[in-house]
Amino acid sequence: MTRIARPSTDKEHRAVPWFGMWIGLALALSVIYCWSAGRLISAYSPSPALRAYLESDAPVESEAAAAKPPMFDSSFAAYLKKGLSYYIDAYDGGKPYQYKDSSYPHRRANATLPLWFKKVFPLNKHMTPDKQTCFMHVGKAGGSTIGCMLGFLIHCGDDDKTNYQSVPSLLAATTAHSFHRGVYDCSDEAANYLFVIRNPLARALSAFNYAKPDLSEKHPFSKKYKDKEIYVDCDFWTLNDLAERGLVKGNNGASDECKDRAKKALLGTENNLVHWFYNYQFYYESMPPDANIVVIRNEHIVDDWNAVETLLGGAADLTKESLPVNNQYEKKPEEVYLSDAAKVVLCETLCNEIQVYKTILKRAQNINKEQYIQSMQELVTSCPKEAMEESCADDMP
């Protein structure tokens, strides 16, 4: 059968040029966007020191650590994992275990270790201090999720979703003690110091929203931190507002006193917001200077957990499906919005914090060069200048 073509209407004829124009416009915008993005990244080329690090063939911490034998052999790892599985499955929310080798009571006489430093399983007798891992719980970096996986009572069991989801592993068994805010419960002889870290700008945003007082509560303000000065007295209820009115220079509707508060709070030099005050610099400078560091990046939890587990002699068998998600709440659009101007000034103020973040990554025994570059590429999307430079306008606090 011969198919007869249907004559096109005048309307269809008129639509063809318009369609072509839209395609052309879309292609043009794509080219402009790619060119602009390329200029954004190329404008902040790595400093000579950073470029040398990225391009050098010299071994880094992770390469040296990988050349060493694991801390435990496979038979002990299997034995330990089996024992942990028993205790984790049996724990039903009863009295947790407080390890007798805790250093906290020795540092602070008559002090009581907070509940969230206790664990859901006992300490194995083979876990002497020189084989232990210290959990450096940096707030709002994903530490509650990892802490729960390690067996600590940190927002674990709050609801049916968490359900004390400890992971039977060498990492959970060796991580006997932790350091969170002003409570340091680790031995200075610890074999490893485990940092859970996150893009510094994302952590700052999360910490700001976390500390925001609920005025409907009977006692909405902290007794220890000056959060009222930021939120109520200075009327900074979003991080974007704090940045644009409190950090950007000029007459932006905030008093000089509030501008000073905003900068000092973000620098961590004033105790206005708890997790801004206890920042990466605080934790990093509190541990022994020659400590071995391992890292779990919030953006790559499964890969980094498995890498640390392998270093210890365990199996890389953690999957994304087995991750608990703790200490989260639904956020309003205005709580997570940051304008371009706000991002620039926030990153400038966080510059020293970003440099400490980069140092922790460089020293991590489980992070190789490719993974470091991966994290720098992710950081470039939010703080391009600070990701590529190694010096800041402000001195380190």
Side-chain angles (χ1 to χ4, degrees), residues 264-277:
K264 288 180 177 178
L266 192 57
L267 288 173
T269 57
E270 293 287 340
N271 60 342
N272 296 97
L273 274 70
V274 54
H275 293 309
W276 282 5
F277 183 69

Side-chain angles (χ1 to χ4, degrees), residues 322-370:
S322 60
L323 292 179
V325 179
N326 302 337
N327 201 21
Q328 288 191 349
Y329 68 94
E330 187 175 350
K331 302 170 185 64
K332 300 175 182 178
E334 61 269 21
E335 291 181 315
V336 296
Y337 170 75
L338 293 175
S339 68
D340 290 342
K343 288 179 183 178
V344 169
V345 71
L346 286 167
C347 291
E348 288 176 352
T349 310
L350 288 168
C351 181
N352 283 306
E353 180 75 345
I354 291 171
Q355 304 315 311
V356 178
Y357 166 81
K358 289 157 63 174
T359 298
I360 294 170
L361 275 171
K362 289 180 188 179
R363 287 188 55 184
Q365 299 198 9
N366 63 305
I367 300 296
N368 59 34
K369 286 184 185 178
E370 290 73 22

Side-chain angles (χ1 to χ4, degrees), residues 243-252 259 263 345 348 393-394:
E244 291 188 343
R245 295 199 299 116
L247 298 178
V248 174
K249 294 181 180 178
N251 184 11
N252 305 313
K259 287 179 178 290
K263 183 169 184 178
V345 71
E348 288 176 352
D394 296 325

Side-chain angles (χ1 to χ4, degrees), residues 100-178:
K100 294 180 180 180
D101 66 340
S102 171
S103 62
Y104 186 63
H106 299 289
R107 290 189 172 93
R108 296 194 177 187
N110 302 318
T112 301
L113 196 66
L115 177 65
W116 59 82
F117 282 75
K118 301 177 183 179
K119 302 193 73 171
V120 302
F121 48 79
L123 178 66
N124 184 278
K125 64 181 180 181
H126 297 286
M127 293 302 160
T128 53
D130 61 326
K131 292 183 173 62
Q132 293 178 7
T133 298
C134 173
F135 175 36
M136 308 289 279
H137 182 185
V138 183
K140 308 318 295 176
S144 295
T145 294
I146 301 301
C148 184
M149 294 167 65
L150 294 171
F152 291 102
L153 293 178
I154 306 173
H155 303 289
C156 301
D158 289 346
D159 50 48
D160 293 337
K161 293 181 181 179
T162 54
N163 194 27
Y164 306 102
Q165 292 182 9
S166 307
V167 177
S169 58
L170 283 179
L171 185 54
T174 61
T175 309
H177 303 286
S178 65

Side-chain angles (χ1 to χ4, degrees), residues 3 46 48 70 87-88 152 165 172 186 308:
R3 184 179 297 274
Y87 280 104
I88 291 171
F152 291 102
Q165 292 182 9
C186 295
V308 176

Side-chain angles (χ1 to χ4, degrees), residues 198-364:
R198 181 183 190 180
N199 179 308
L201 181 58
R203 193 189 83 85
L205 177 61
S206 180
F208 181 89
N209 290 326
Y210 175 81
K212 186 182 300 183
D214 183 353
L215 299 183
S216 66
E217 295 180 351
K218 185 176 181 180
H219 302 289
F221 304 110
S222 170
K223 295 181 179 179
K224 187 175 182 181
Y225 305 98
K226 303 173 184 177
D227 50 354
K228 180 177 179 292
E229 292 184 353
I230 293 292
Y231 297 100
V232 177
D233 297 349
C234 291
D235 199 28
F236 296 141
W237 288 99
T238 67
L239 184 57
N240 189 77
D241 195 38
L242 180 144
E244 291 188 343
R245 295 199 299 116
L247 298 178
V248 174
K249 294 181 180 178
N251 184 11
N252 305 313
S255 66
D256 290 342
E257 183 179 12
C258 285
K259 287 179 178 290
D260 185 61
R261 284 177 186 170
K263 183 169 184 178
K264 288 180 177 178
L266 192 57
L267 288 173
T269 57
E270 293 287 340
N271 60 342
N272 296 97
L273 274 70
V274 54
H275 293 309
W276 282 5
F277 183 69
Y278 294 112
N279 55 14
Y280 290 131
Q281 181 187 359
F282 171 82
Y283 290 96
Y284 182 76
E285 293 180 351
S286 298
M287 70 178 186
D290 59 346
N292 292 326
I293 294 176
V294 289
V295 158
I296 294 178
R297 296 167 293 169
N298 179 279
E299 300 85 358
H300 305 281
I301 291 178
V302 173
D303 290 342
D304 294 349
W305 175 285
N306 285 333
V308 176
E309 187 70 9
T310 301
L311 283 177
L312 295 174
D317 54 7
L318 182 70
T319 63
K320 186 176 181 179
E321 290 70 28
S322 60
L323 292 179
V325 179
N326 302 337
N327 201 21
Q328 288 191 349
Y329 68 94
E330 187 175 350
K331 302 170 185 64
K332 300 175 182 178
E334 61 269 21
E335 291 181 315
V336 296
Y337 170 75
L338 293 175
S339 68
D340 290 342
K343 288 179 183 178
V344 169
V345 71
L346 286 167
C347 291
E348 288 176 352
T349 310
L350 288 168
C351 181
N352 283 306
E353 180 75 345
I354 291 171
Q355 304 315 311
V356 178
Y357 166 81
K358 289 157 63 174
T359 298
I360 294 170
L361 275 171
K362 289 180 188 179
R363 287 188 55 184

